[in-house]
Amino acid sequence: MTDSPLAAGTIAPAFTLPGDGGRTISLKDFAGKKLVLYFYPKDDTSGCTQEAKDFNALKSDFAKAGTEILGVSPDSATSHDKFKKKHGLDFALVSDESKAMLEAYGVWTEKSMYGRKYMGVERTTFLIDPAGKIAKVWNKVKVPGHAAEVLEAAKTL
């Protein structure tokens, strides 16, 4: 599977997962709001850190556009707490150690590095509308400029 099977117009799969700070976070918590749901491979790696910092830097602009931000990776909630504190991140992160949500969104895929195949997170972002439908999908995200591109889409949704 190369791209998420979830296309624009599809209802976003529901989830309830452990989040940073010991809280539980569900899709229904964002009902009536726009949501940037972005999936990333690993806390505190260079690309993932830059992506998180880029979204964080635009958080007030997303808020003006009535849009929340939620990051998801298979790292533990404890790892998320350390990652948020280290980089001053001011939005929620959820932990999907079971990979059930990653699979539901089609982002847990076979990857290859130096000829070795392994399973991992395909960096993907979903913009979900206030009714819980997927408005836009970015597959195989390249980090530079991505958060600003998502913000522009959120403003017009």
Side-chain angles (χ1 to χ4, degrees), residues 5 16 20 34 36 49 54 63 71 76 85 88-89 93 95 97 100 109 113 116 128 139 142 149 155:
T16 299
D20 59 80
K34 293 180 272 184
V36 171
T49 299
D54 289 351
S76 69
K85 185 174 182 184
L89 304 178
L93 299 176
S95 169
E97 292 182 278
T109 63
M113 185 183 288
R116 184 179 70 88
I128 300 172
N139 290 298
K142 301 290 183 239
E149 184 181 334
K155 285 178 179 176

Side-chain angles (χ1 to χ4, degrees), residues 37-52 55 70-77 79-80 83 93-99 102 107-113 116 118-125 138-143 146:
L37 183 63
Y38 84 94
F39 293 88
Y40 65 98
K42 186 149 184 55
D43 287 343
D44 234 5
T45 55
S46 60
C48 298
T49 299
Q50 190 58 56
E51 185 176 26
F55 275 118
L70 183 62
V72 184
S73 87
D75 292 312
S76 69
S79 174
H80 286 341
F83 182 51
L93 299 176
V94 295
S95 169
D96 186 16
E97 292 182 278
S98 74
K99 320 225 181 13
L102 300 173
V107 301
W108 185 248
T109 63
E110 185 175 85
K111 298 172 94 175
S112 179
M113 185 183 288
R116 184 179 70 88
Y118 63 98
M119 294 302 288
V121 175
E122 187 75 62
R123 193 183 303 276
T124 307
T125 300
W138 290 265
N139 290 298
K140 298 181 181 171
V141 167
K142 301 290 183 239
V143 173
H146 176 62

